[in-house]
Amino acid sequence: MRKIKCPYCGFDCIKYGKIRIGSQRWRCRECHQVFTKPYDHTNSDFRLFLQWLFSKNVQKDMPGAGRNFRRKTVKFWELWPLPPKVETQRSIVFIDGIHLGRKACILICCDEKHVLGWYVCRAERAQAWEALMNRIATPKVVVSDGGTGFRKALKKVWPKAKLQRCIFHASQQVKRYTTTRPKTLAGAELYGLSNDLFKVNSTDAALNWVRRLTDWKIKHKAFLDEVSYDEYGKPRLKHERLLKAEQSLIVLIKSGTLFTYLDETLDFDCSSTNNRIEGGINAQLRAMLRYH
């Protein structure tokens, strides 16, 4: 049986009858104080709060338009959970930032099963990334979408970690320049090349993909070098958006971050995308904001 301690002196208590409404009364053996132990509703209220938070239910549909619910759960809005310090090295971690507003951003780091840390900031900057990464042991591989300031923080905090640029975001960056319906042959071929990134599953396939990108550059060199003139007679590259799309891929190839997941020295299966954090965590946060 669980022993009841006196709230005044801390010694053991004995049963001392019951009050009129039926609650048990207790008497301290040491200081002889008599009291009743109030029932703590914190656990049940917290379960009620979490059940609402992770559901689609809205407060206006609750009895009394949610007034009783707000009275019970108001204390939990003041809680500010702090992330733990992770000292065990992970093989692979996923890092991403989700913008909740104009000046509100959450940086999140997770492994294949759990969230390792988070940091609330105004924007994705190197200092904010450092604050998040300093509390987590250096992993072997980091999968990132290339957020602002992340590369600078990576070199400073996790210099020995290998970086894998999410190929989905790399493909999306090309699509922003070419659109899904390119009007030129060069644009259509480059858009197709970016989609073929998802089919690269070996070192030979990666070399073949890089070779195809080089052939595309040679084939359309005259087209890409075309120049137009503005109203002031100043020359400007006519297909600047295509060149930017191609350059975004060239930068990743030269930095060695596009095909890190094919590195034969890794003793584990490395993911090529950031889907673990995008679909498993960020999507849930966005859904929570929509519902509530």
Side-chain angles (χ1 to χ4, degrees):
M1 178 180 176
R2 184 172 60 89
K3 293 183 178 180
I4 300 299
K5 300 292 184 180
C6 177
Y8 305 100
C9 64
F11 283 86
D12 292 341
C13 301
I14 59 174
K15 290 183 178 181
Y16 197 66
K18 295 184 178 181
I19 62 176
R20 184 175 58 182
I21 61 175
S23 299
Q24 181 66 54
R25 188 165 53 183
W26 301 88
R27 182 175 182 270
C28 179
R29 295 177 182 269
E30 186 68 21
C31 65
H32 309 297
Q33 291 286 342
V34 178
F35 63 93
T36 57
K37 187 173 179 61
Y39 182 78
D40 189 1
H41 296 270
T42 303
N43 288 339
S44 60
D45 291 345
F46 190 56
R47 285 196 296 269
L48 178 66
F49 176 73
L50 293 180
Q51 183 180 2
W52 165 80
L53 189 62
F54 296 113
S55 70
K56 300 180 182 180
N57 301 328
V58 293
Q59 295 183 27
K60 68 177 182 179
D61 296 334
M62 296 179 178
R67 288 188 294 271
N68 190 44
F69 170 81
R70 289 191 291 273
R71 177 181 59 81
K72 290 181 178 181
T73 60
V74 63
K75 52 184 174 291
F76 302 124
W77 288 108
E78 299 178 0
L79 297 178
W80 190 268
L82 297 177
K85 190 169 184 179
V86 180
E87 298 180 351
T88 304
Q89 185 187 44
R90 263 57 175 185
S91 297
I92 182 172
V93 297
F94 305 87
I95 279 187
D96 192 20
I98 175 173
H99 291 265
L100 305 181
R102 187 174 182 181
K103 291 186 178 180
C105 179
I106 301 180
L107 309 181
I108 305 174
C109 177
C110 73
D111 60 9
E112 294 175 322
K113 294 183 178 180
H114 306 288
V115 174
L116 303 179
W118 58 89
Y119 187 79
V120 181
C121 57
R122 291 184 178 274
E124 296 186 50
R125 294 191 177 92
Q127 294 83 356
W129 285 114
E130 291 175 18
L132 169 66
M133 298 160 64
N134 275 326
R135 299 183 60 85
I136 302 172
T138 304
K140 294 181 181 179
V141 177
V142 184
V143 182
S144 169
D145 63 351
T148 307
F150 174 72
R151 292 294 295 272
K152 181 179 179 181
L154 181 66
K155 291 180 180 179
K156 184 176 180 180
V157 184
W158 294 343
K160 296 183 179 180
K162 295 183 179 181
L163 175 62
Q164 167 62 50
R165 175 65 184 274
C166 175
I167 61 173
F168 173 77
H169 286 87
S171 176
Q172 289 294 105
Q173 189 169 2
V174 173
K175 187 175 76 172
R176 281 195 293 270
Y177 290 117
T178 62
T179 72
T180 57
R181 294 181 179 181
K183 296 181 179 180
T184 62
L185 177 61
E189 291 182 358
L190 185 60
Y191 178 60
L193 271 173
S194 67
N195 288 334
D196 289 343
L197 275 173
F198 299 100
K199 302 177 183 178
V200 178
N201 53 13
S202 65
T203 305
D204 292 339
L207 292 174
N208 183 54
W209 186 89
V210 174
R211 191 178 301 112
R212 289 173 59 196
L213 181 63
T214 304
D215 294 341
W216 175 88
K217 176 75 172 180
I218 297 173
K219 177 181 178 181
H220 300 285
K221 186 178 185 307
F223 176 76
L224 297 173
D225 289 341
E226 291 181 0
V227 177
S228 62
Y229 297 89
D230 58 17
E231 56 184 350
Y232 302 104
K234 186 177 180 180
R236 182 177 179 179
L237 290 172
K238 190 174 182 179
H239 308 289
E240 187 177 3
R241 292 178 62 86
L242 279 179
L243 291 171
K244 287 182 178 180
E246 184 246 353
Q247 185 62 26
S248 68
L249 297 173
I250 295 297
V251 169
L252 297 179
I253 294 172
K254 289 184 177 180
S255 63
T257 60
L258 189 60
F259 299 115
T260 305
Y261 67 99
L262 300 175
D263 193 338
E264 297 178 354
T265 61
L266 299 177
D267 55 355
F268 58 92
D269 293 334
C270 181
S271 176
S272 61
T273 66
N274 228 2
N275 292 345
R276 167 66 183 90
I277 194 169
E278 288 283 357
I281 300 173
N282 290 356
Q284 307 306 319
L285 290 176
R286 292 189 178 96
M288 189 183 300
L289 289 173
R290 285 197 306 271
Y291 299 145
H292 304 306

